Amino acid sequence: QVFPSQDPLDRADFNAVEYINALFPTEQSLANIDEVVNKIRLKIRRLDDNIRTVVRGQTNVGQDGRQALEEAQKAIQQLFGKIKDIKDKAEKSEQMVKEITRDIKQLDHAKRHLTTSITTLNHLHMLAGGVDSLEAMTRRRQYGEVANLLQGVVNVLEHFNKYMGIPQIRQLSERVKAAQNELGQQILADFEEAFPSQGTKRTGGPSNVLRDACLVANVLDPRIKQEIIKKFIKQHLSEYLVLFQENQDVAWLDKIDRRYAWIKRQLVDYEEKYGRMFPAEWCMTERIAVDFCHVTRAELSKIMRTRAKEIEVKLLLFAIQRTTNFEGLLAKRFSGCTLADGTVKKPEVPPPSTNPFLEDETGAEADEIVMEKSDTDKPKKPKAPDNPFHGIVSKCFEPHLYVYIESQDKNLGELIDRFVADFKAQGPPKPNVDEGGAVLPSCADLFVYYKKCMVQCSQLSTGEPMIALTTIFQKYLREYAWKILSGNLPKTTSSSGGLTITSLLKEKEGSEVAKFTLEELCLICSILSTAEYCLATTQQLEEKLKEKVDASLVERINLTGEMDTFSVVISNSIQLLVQDLDAACDPALTAMSKMQWQNVEHVGDQSPYVTSVILHIKQNVPIIRDNLASTRKYFTQFCIKFANSFIPKFINHLFKCKPISMVGAEQLLLDTHSLKMVLLDLPSIGSQVVRKAPASYTKIVVKGMTRAEMILKVVMAPHEPPVVFVDNYIKLLADCSTDTFQKILDMKGLKRSEQSSMLDLFRLRLPAPPPGGDSAGSLSLSAPTPEQESSRIRKLEKLIKKRL
C-alpha cells in the first residue's frame, strides 16, 4: 500500500468472493448487475489512463539526468582551473619573498657565527688562563682554589671536544690531563705523608690542606678517591689487626665484646679528629665500620677453624648474640649506602630481628604455644631486609652452627626423658582432680621449646642449619608419639570363659568385668586429645618453618610423616576405646546365645543380657564423651566404629540362638528393638543436653539393626508352605547367600531333610530377585497385604510346577 486508501480493492487481505457477495448480497440485487459492471469497467479505464500518463512522464527522466551530470562535470573543471591559478600565484609570491629576504638571511647567519666565535674565543681564553693557574696552584698546593678551578676547566674543556683536531686545543687538553694526574699523585703523597702506612704513630693529622685535597679528589678520577679511602681505612684499622691477632688471648670468642668496644672507640675518635676532613657524602664512618666487619669476619672464621674443638654452644651463642647486637647497632647508626658500592655485597640472609615470634616470646609463652597464623605475621614478612648489616659479621658462625644443632638434639633428648620420668612419677591425670581428657602438659612444654629453638635458629641462620633443626624436630616428634603417647596407652587384657545369666545378674549388681578402669579411660582420652593437639600444632610448625627458611629450601621442609604418626596414635586410641566397650558387651552376647530360646513361654520385659549391654554403654560412653568434649569429631568416630563392630557381632550371636520358638523370637525381637533404641541414643546417652546423633552414625545403626529385626521376622514366619517362606526371606533380607539361609533354618530348628528341600527351593528362587540396585532398599520395605501375598503365592506355585 503506497497511499492511504479506503477502497476494498486496495486491502492486503482482499477476497474476490467476499467482495462480490458484498456487492450482491441478495438475489434481487443481481437485477442491477449491468450497472455495476459498467462502473468497474469505467474504473479500469481510468486506471489505465493514469498508468499510461505516468509511464510517458518517465521517458524523459533519463535524458534530464544525463544533462544535469554534464553540467556538474563542467562546473568541476572550472573549479579545478581556479585552484590551479591560485597555487601558481602562491608559488610566485613565495619566490618573491625569498628574493626579498635573501640578504637578511645572510646577515642572520653571519651574526650567529660571530656570536659562536666570540663565545669560543672567551672559552679558549678562560681555558688557557685556567690551565696556567691550575698548574701554578698545584705547585703551591692551593687545593681550595684548585677544587673550584679544576671543575670549571673541565667543564670548559667539554666545549672543545669537537675541536680536538686543532693542535693548540689538543695541547691544552693534554696539559689539563697532566695537571689532573699530577694533582692525584700529589694528593696521594700528601695523605701518605700525613698518615704513613708504616708505624703506629700518626705523625700528620687532619688539616685544611687535606680537607681541600678531598674536595679536589671528588673532581679527579674516582680511583684517586677510592685509593685515599682505602689507605686511610687500612691505616686506621692497622692497630686492630695487631691487638686482635690470632695468637692473642683477646682474639677468642669469649672476649668478642672487646672487638666491638674497640671499633666504637675508634669511630668516636674518628668523628672528633677527622669528621670534618672528609666530605659527608664519602660516608667515611660507615666505610670504616663496614671494613672492620669484613676484617672481623675473616679473622673470626680463621680462628674458629683453627680452634673448632674448643667451641661450646654457650660460647657460640654468646658470640652470636653480641655480634647480632652489634649489627643491629650499625643498622640504627648507618643507612648501609656503602654496601651497594660493589665492594661489599648485600647480605642475602634476611635478618630475623623483626621476627614476629621474637615479639611473641616477650608475652605469655603458655598462651602462644599453638603458634597461630595471625594477621600481623604477613605484613611483617616483607620487613625482613630492614637491617642491611645482618650477617655481615655473624655469617662466619654459620659453618659452626652444628654445635648448636647437636646441643638442641641433646637438650630435646633430655626433655623427652624428663617427660617419661615425670609421667611415671606423677602417673596418668587424675579424673577427679584434673580436667578429664585434657592435653598432657608435656606436649605444651615441647612445642614451647620448639618455638624458642626455631626463633633462635632463624636469628642465627635461615639456611642449612634450619633444615638440620627441622630434622631434629621430626626425630623428637616421633619419639614423643612413641614414648609418651603410644607407650602409655593401656594394654588390653582379653577375658575368656563362659558366663551364665546368674553371672550377668551379679555383674548388673556391681561386680567388675575385666575392662579399663575410669582412670585408664581418662588416660586414653587424654592421649587422644594430646595427639590431636600435636597433629594440629605440627601442621602449624611446618608452615612457620617454611616461612623462616630460605625460599630455595622450602621444599625440604616436610612433616607429613610425623603428622601421620599422630594420626595413628589417634586411631589406636579410638580402637582401644571401642575394643574395651566391645569386650565388656561380649559376655552378655555369649549369654544370649546360650539361653534356651525354645523354652521361652511368654514375652516379658527386655532380657537380662540387654540390661547388661545397656549398663556397660551407660558406664563407658558418658565418660568418653565428657573426656572428648573438645574433640567432638573423634567421639563421633568412636560411636561409628563401635556400631560397626558391635552390630555384626550381635547378628552373629543371633545366629547362634537355636532353636528358637515363636515366643522366643518375639522376645528376641523386643530385645533387638531395645538395643536399637539405645544405640540410636548412644552419642547423647546419660547427657543432660540431648543432641541429635550425626546422620552418618544413625544410618549405620538403622541399617544394621534393621537387618537383625528382619532375621527375626523371617524366623517368626511359618515355613509352610516352603515357597512362601523362601519368598518372604528374599523379600525381607535380600541376601542371596545360602549360608545365611542355612543359619535361618537352623534357628527355626528344622530337620536336615526339611532343610535340604528348602535349600533346593531357595537355589531355584535365586534368579528371581530384582537386580542389586533394588536390594539395598528392600530392608525398609513393609510387609505386603494378604491379597498381594496370596496372588504371589499362586504365581510361584505355578512356576515351580512348570519347572518340576
Side-chain angles (χ1 to χ4, degrees):
Q1 181 178 340
V2 182
F3 299 105
S5 174
Q6 300 297 326
D7 193 339
L9 294 172
D10 291 334
R11 290 175 58 183
D13 57 346
F14 172 74
N15 190 319
V17 177
E18 290 180 1
Y19 183 69
I20 293 170
N21 288 335
L23 290 175
F24 307 105
T26 60
E27 291 182 4
Q28 288 77 9
S29 59
L30 292 173
N32 59 347
I33 188 170
D34 295 333
E35 184 182 348
V36 173
V37 171
N38 291 332
K39 285 182 180 179
I40 291 174
R41 285 176 178 168
L42 178 61
K43 191 171 186 177
I44 290 170
R45 280 198 300 272
R46 288 176 180 170
L47 286 173
D48 288 340
D49 292 340
N50 290 338
I51 291 170
R52 195 179 297 110
T53 304
V54 171
V55 170
R56 288 174 179 170
Q58 291 297 320
T59 54
N60 298 328
V61 171
Q63 186 177 354
D64 295 342
R66 282 192 297 272
Q67 186 178 354
L69 181 61
E70 289 174 358
E71 291 176 357
Q73 288 174 342
K74 289 179 182 178
I76 291 171
Q77 288 176 353
Q78 292 175 0
L79 180 61
F80 181 74
K82 291 179 180 179
I83 292 173
K84 190 175 181 182
D85 291 342
I86 292 171
K87 183 179 179 183
D88 292 340
K89 290 179 181 178
E91 288 176 354
K92 290 178 181 178
S93 301
E94 183 181 1
Q95 188 66 28
M96 191 182 299
V97 170
K98 284 182 179 179
E99 290 176 0
I100 293 172
T101 58
R102 183 181 294 122
D103 296 337
I104 298 174
K105 194 171 184 180
Q106 288 178 352
L107 290 173
D108 185 55
H109 285 312
K111 177 186 175 184
R112 187 181 305 121
H113 293 158
L114 186 60
T115 304
T116 305
S117 300
I118 293 171
T119 305
T120 305
L121 285 173
N122 286 333
H123 285 162
L124 182 60
H125 177 70
M126 291 167 58
L127 181 61
V131 170
D132 292 339
S133 301
L134 185 63
E135 291 172 344
M137 291 176 182
T138 301
R139 287 191 294 272
R140 293 195 298 269
R141 284 184 164 77
Q142 294 175 344
Y143 295 131
E145 292 80 0
V146 166
N148 297 323
L149 179 62
L150 179 60
Q151 185 63 57
V153 168
V154 170
N155 292 338
V156 170
L157 189 60
E158 288 177 358
H159 293 286
F160 291 93
N161 285 337
K162 54 188 175 182
Y163 304 119
M164 284 301 170
I166 302 172
Q168 291 82 355
I169 302 296
R170 188 166 61 249
Q171 184 182 359
L172 284 173
S173 174
E174 290 172 355
R175 286 177 64 189
V176 171
K177 289 180 181 177
Q180 286 178 320
N181 290 334
E182 184 182 351
L183 270 172
Q185 297 302 323
Q186 190 170 301
I187 289 171
L188 288 175
D190 290 346
F191 268 94
E192 181 66 30
E193 182 182 349
F195 303 102
S197 55
Q198 300 297 329
T200 56
K201 290 283 184 180
R202 297 170 188 164
T203 55
S207 67
N208 293 334
V209 173
L210 294 181
R211 184 182 63 195
D212 294 339
C214 291
L215 297 177
V216 175
N218 264 338
V219 185
L220 295 174
D221 191 331
R223 285 179 297 179
I224 303 296
K225 170 185 169 183
Q226 294 297 333
E227 189 69 22
I228 293 171
I229 292 172
K230 183 178 177 182
K231 284 188 175 183
F232 181 81
I233 293 176
K234 183 179 178 181
Q235 196 273 341
H236 217 70
L237 295 179
S238 58
E239 181 184 343
Y240 172 69
L241 292 173
V242 173
L243 289 176
F244 294 91
Q245 283 182 4
E246 188 176 348
N247 57 359
Q248 296 295 326
D249 185 48
V250 292
W252 189 229
L253 300 180
D254 58 345
K255 297 183 176 61
I256 199 169
D257 276 344
R258 297 191 181 182
R259 293 176 181 267
Y260 304 133
W262 182 89
I263 190 61
K264 289 175 188 175
R265 289 195 303 272
Q266 290 300 312
L267 292 178
V268 171
D269 181 58
Y270 166 81
E271 291 286 353
E272 291 176 355
K273 292 183 178 179
Y274 308 102
R276 296 181 181 179
M277 188 174 78
F278 294 99
E281 64 268 18
W282 286 22
C283 303
M284 284 299 293
T285 313
E286 182 176 327
R287 290 180 188 275
I288 293 170
V290 169
D291 269 52
F292 166 82
C293 290
H294 285 291
V295 170
T296 303
R297 184 168 73 179
E299 291 294 315
L300 287 176
S301 297
K302 187 165 63 174
I303 194 171
M304 283 193 290
R305 279 196 302 271
T306 307
R307 303 171 64 175
K309 294 182 179 179
E310 300 178 37
I311 300 175
E312 298 176 354
V313 66
K314 288 184 179 179
L315 179 63
L316 182 66
L317 291 178
F318 167 78
I320 291 174
Q321 183 186 7
R322 292 293 189 270
T323 302
T324 51
N325 289 346
F326 175 70
E327 290 171 351
L329 186 66
L330 291 180
K332 292 178 181 177
R333 175 66 178 81
F334 304 118
S335 63
C337 60
T338 60
L339 295 175
D341 283 354
T343 57
V344 181
K345 281 188 180 179
K346 231 173 186 178
E348 297 176 1
V349 182
S353 57
T354 55
N355 191 310
F357 273 95
L358 188 59
E359 297 174 5
D360 293 344
E361 282 294 316
T362 58
E365 288 184 346
D367 294 336
E368 294 295 326
I369 56 176
V370 185
M371 294 187 285
E372 297 174 351
K373 287 182 76 177
S374 61
D375 294 335
T376 56
D377 287 344
K378 291 181 180 176
K380 284 183 181 177
K381 188 70 176 171
K383 291 186 182 177
D386 276 355
N387 182 356
F389 295 94
H390 176 74
I392 194 169
V393 179
S394 57
K395 195 84 172 174
C396 66
F397 297 111
E398 194 163 314
H400 305 278
L401 283 179
Y402 67 89
V403 177
Y404 170 76
I405 301 298
E406 289 172 358
S407 168
Q408 296 306 331
D409 189 2
K410 181 182 176 183
N411 292 342
L412 281 167
E414 293 173 355
L415 189 65
I416 295 292
D417 292 339
R418 180 165 64 82
F419 290 161
V420 174
D422 289 349
F423 193 91
K424 288 180 179 177
Q426 299 171 7
K430 305 295 185 294
N432 297 330
V433 179
D434 302 330
E435 182 183 354
V439 175
L440 295 177
S442 59
C443 166
D445 295 341
L446 178 69
F447 281 104
V448 166
Y449 192 83
Y450 271 18
K451 178 182 172 185
K452 181 181 175 183
C453 290
M454 182 178 66
V455 171
Q456 195 173 43
C457 187
S458 67
Q459 291 177 328
L460 308 180
S461 170
T462 56
E464 286 294 336
M466 280 291 280
I467 302 297
L469 184 68
T470 302
T471 306
I472 300 296
F473 284 175
Q474 290 175 297
K475 172 184 174 183
Y476 288 102
L477 282 173
R478 291 192 297 269
E479 286 211 11
Y480 186 85
W482 295 332
K483 292 184 178 180
I484 308 297
L485 301 182
S486 295
N488 287 310
L489 282 174
K491 304 295 182 289
T492 55
T493 55
S494 57
S495 57
S496 59
L499 291 177
T500 61
I501 293 297
T502 55
S503 67
L504 285 172
L505 291 173
K506 286 181 182 177
E507 181 188 311
K508 181 182 175 183
E509 292 168 1
S511 64
E512 286 296 326
V513 183
K515 63 175 186 176
F516 291 144
T517 61
L518 173 63
E519 290 77 10
E520 289 174 328
L521 286 177
C522 291
L523 174 61
I524 295 171
C525 293
S526 184
I527 288 175
L528 193 155
S529 300
T530 304
E532 190 220 8
Y533 173 86
C534 290
L535 177 63
T537 312
T538 302
Q539 186 175 359
Q540 295 170 0
L541 174 66
E542 182 184 62
E543 294 171 0
K544 289 298 177 186
L545 285 169
K546 287 182 177 180
E547 288 180 16
K548 303 294 180 192
V549 80
D550 291 343
S552 59
L553 302 175
V554 167
E555 295 300 324
R556 293 171 61 183
I557 304 283
N558 187 359
L559 304 185
T560 307
E562 289 64 41
M563 288 188 266
D564 291 343
T565 302
F566 289 118
S567 297
V568 170
V569 173
I570 292 171
S571 180
N572 291 343
S573 302
I574 294 174
Q575 194 60 40
L576 272 181
L577 295 173
V578 171
Q579 288 176 0
D580 177 54
L581 183 54
D582 211 19
C585 297
D586 275 350
L589 297 179
T590 305
M592 175 190 81
S593 61
K594 292 190 175 185
M595 284 183 64
Q596 303 297 320
W597 290 102
Q598 74 274 26
N599 297 331
V600 177
E601 297 177 354
H602 61 275
V603 179
D605 293 335
Q606 62 188 26
S607 303
Y609 75 87
V610 178
T611 306
S612 175
V613 170
I614 295 173
L615 178 65
H616 286 301
I617 289 174
K618 287 186 176 179
Q619 284 177 349
N620 279 32
V621 174
I623 296 171
I624 296 170
R625 182 182 59 244
D626 293 343
N627 280 278
L628 296 182
S630 59
T631 55
R632 189 75 188 174
K633 64 177 179 179
Y634 294 119
F635 175 67
T636 302
Q637 284 188 25
F638 159 75
C639 294
I640 290 174
K641 285 190 176 183
F642 174 70
N644 282 327
S645 173
F646 175 79
I647 294 175
K649 188 179 291 186
F650 173 71
I651 291 175
N652 286 336
H653 280 81
L654 264 185
F655 286 134
K656 294 178 184 178
C657 299
K658 51 187 179 181
I660 302 176
S661 64
M662 178 66 72
V663 179
E666 290 178 358
Q667 179 64 50
L668 274 173
L669 189 60
L670 174 67
D671 295 341
T672 302
H673 182 71
S674 299
L675 283 174
K676 179 181 178 181
M677 291 298 103
V678 170
L679 289 174
L680 286 173
D681 191 41
L682 180 75
S684 59
I685 195 167
S687 173
Q688 295 179 352
V689 180
V690 179
R691 184 181 295 182
K692 187 178 179 181
S696 56
Y697 170 76
T698 304
K699 184 178 179 181
I700 292 170
V701 172
V702 169
K703 183 178 179 181
M705 295 307 288
T706 302
R707 176 174 169 80
E709 291 174 343
M710 293 300 109
I711 290 171
L712 291 172
K713 286 182 181 180
V714 172
V715 172
M716 290 168 60
H719 61 277
E720 293 293 344
V723 175
V724 178
F725 178 75
V726 172
D727 183 51
N728 200 33
Y729 169 83
I730 293 174
K731 176 177 67 66
L732 292 176
L733 284 181
D735 191 341
C736 296
S737 170
T738 53
D739 293 338
T740 306
F741 188 66
Q742 177 77 54
K743 292 175 182 177
I744 296 289
L745 298 179
D746 289 340
M747 291 173 72
K748 289 184 69 64
L750 295 181
K751 297 176 182 178
R752 287 296 171 188
S753 58
E754 293 176 327
Q755 288 188 16
S756 178
S757 61
M758 198 76 78
L759 283 169
D760 292 339
L761 180 62
F762 175 71
R763 291 188 186 96
L764 288 172
R765 289 288 295 115
L766 281 183
D774 298 329
S775 63
S778 62
L779 290 176
S780 59
L781 293 174
S782 57
T785 61
E787 292 79 13
Q788 293 173 334
E789 194 68 42
S790 60
S791 64
R792 292 185 66 190
I793 290 170
R794 285 194 296 272
K795 289 179 183 178
L796 288 171
E797 286 176 347
K798 289 178 182 179
L799 181 62
I800 291 169
K801 285 177 182 178
K802 286 180 181 179
R803 290 188 177 180
L804 293 175

